[in-house]
Amino acid sequence: MDIEDLQTFVAVADSGGISAAARRLGVSKSIVSRRLFRLEAELGIQLLSRTTRGAALTEAGATFRDHAARASAEIDLARETILPDGDLRGRLRVALPLSFGPTHFAPVLAEMALAHPQLHIHTSYSDRFVDLIAEGFDCAIRVGYLPDSNLLARRIGPITGKLVASPAYLAAHGAPETPDGIAAHQALMQGTETWQFLDGEKIVTVQPQGRYKADNATALAAAAVAGLGIAWLPDCITYPFVQSGQLVPIMTRYPPPPAGIYVVRPPGQYPARKVRVLAEMLSASLARNPEIWGLQR
């Protein structure tokens, strides 16, 4: 029984379709189909039920999937163990936020590619919520507050934020002194989100209102610099604007609750070493550049 056939079957089972598994594995759909046919012929039983909407596990396939996943994980671990120390191979697909992925995370991935010339790194930048399993990603870098899910997460560092506005906006409209005062101001938002602030140990939640919205934090920072309103943004976005005086921190007595930076991956018995190495390199980058992330040395 070919290990690639087992790994392909697990990828199809977890992603729910041949197309998604092909993206995850970096091969064509015809190769995925051929491997599945070969595995089912070897076992003499149907593992997947093909439909127009994807591929669903049969009862036998659901049972076999767990055994195949464990076997594949053991082989991957064995391969990592015998590789030269520090050597990474294969392919790494990473989903990153568009807001600051290209500026804050892309240099770390480039550093990783230089250090591991046999590793193929494929990155995708988007502020939408990417389905790692269905879209075939090995991991994602996520910032903020993680929702409950079946994904496995490793926290690589904290991230802080603040409420900011331009000097021109503050001269014309003043600044809110308390969270309740936000209702009197134009808020720059991604959608219909709520904002949270710390009042001592108590978390205060407000529902801001505003006429300008964007699904990208960098775009909201630009709107704040233009004087369109107040914005609740992470320090890694506002840092250069605060340093230059284009934005001013406001309502500093009520900071937002600290959030985190995470590497998340699909569930599995062992995290791939390439994912572990990426997490370690990102953590080291945060430690080297604390001021960019709004952190104290």
Side-chain angles (χ1 to χ4, degrees), residues 32-262:
V32 172
S33 297
R34 189 160 59 247
R35 289 175 180 174
L36 291 175
F37 177 81
R38 190 165 58 208
L39 180 61
E40 289 180 327
E42 173 75 21
L43 293 170
I45 195 167
Q46 185 178 0
L47 299 172
L48 293 157
S49 175
R50 282 76 163 176
T51 69
T52 55
R53 301 179 67 180
L57 289 170
T58 63
E59 184 177 351
T63 301
F64 186 70
R65 184 262 167 212
D66 293 338
H67 294 283
R70 283 196 297 270
S72 298
E74 290 288 353
I75 291 296
D76 286 342
L77 185 62
R79 283 175 173 167
E80 289 183 356
T81 301
I82 63 175
L83 282 175
D85 186 38
D87 191 18
L88 295 177
R89 302 183 185 187
R91 193 176 63 123
L92 177 64
R93 291 194 76 221
V94 188
L96 306 102
L98 178 62
S99 291
F100 38 84
T103 52
H104 292 72
F105 297 132
V108 179
L109 286 156
E111 180 186 348
M112 187 177 185
L114 286 171
H116 303 280
Q118 297 190 71
L119 180 66
H120 296 253
I121 299 178
H122 297 181
T123 58
S124 176
Y125 295 89
S126 173
D127 281 334
R128 69 181 179 86
F129 195 80
V130 174
D131 187 329
L132 299 189
I133 297 174
E135 299 182 47
F137 285 95
D138 294 295
C139 65
I141 301 171
R142 291 186 176 158
V143 177
Y145 310 99
L146 288 186
D148 291 335
S149 73
N150 66 338
L151 299 176
L152 302 177
R154 173 177 173 179
R155 190 175 186 272
I156 60 171
I159 186 168
T160 58
K162 57 173 60 78
L163 201 62
V164 294
S166 71
Y169 179 88
L170 296 175
H173 305 282
E177 297 294 332
T178 66
D180 289 341
I182 290 174
H185 289 267
Q186 284 289 321
L188 308 174
M189 302 176 292
Q190 292 197 17
T192 57
E193 73 270 18
T194 58
W195 289 354
Q196 292 186 328
F197 302 92
L198 290 174
D199 183 2
E201 295 185 357
K202 177 184 175 183
I203 294 180
V204 179
T205 301
V206 300
Q207 187 78 50
Q209 300 295 322
R211 65 184 181 87
Y212 189 92
K213 298 181 180 182
D215 63 356
N216 180 275
T218 304
L220 292 176
V225 169
L228 290 177
I230 60 176
W232 185 94
L233 292 168
D235 289 339
C236 57
I237 295 293
T238 61
Y239 173 77
F241 302 111
V242 171
Q243 290 295 106
S244 66
Q246 292 174 284
L247 290 176
V248 178
I250 57 177
M251 213 176 76
T252 54
R253 289 178 51 210
Y254 301 90
I261 304 171
Y262 302 87

Side-chain angles (χ1 to χ4, degrees), residues 8-9 12 17-19 21-23 25 27-37 50:
T8 299
F9 165 67
V12 173
I18 290 175
S19 297
R23 288 193 298 269
L25 297 169
V27 299
S28 67
K29 291 189 289 185
S30 62
I31 289 178
V32 172
S33 297
R34 189 160 59 247
R35 289 175 180 174
L36 291 175
F37 177 81
R50 282 76 163 176

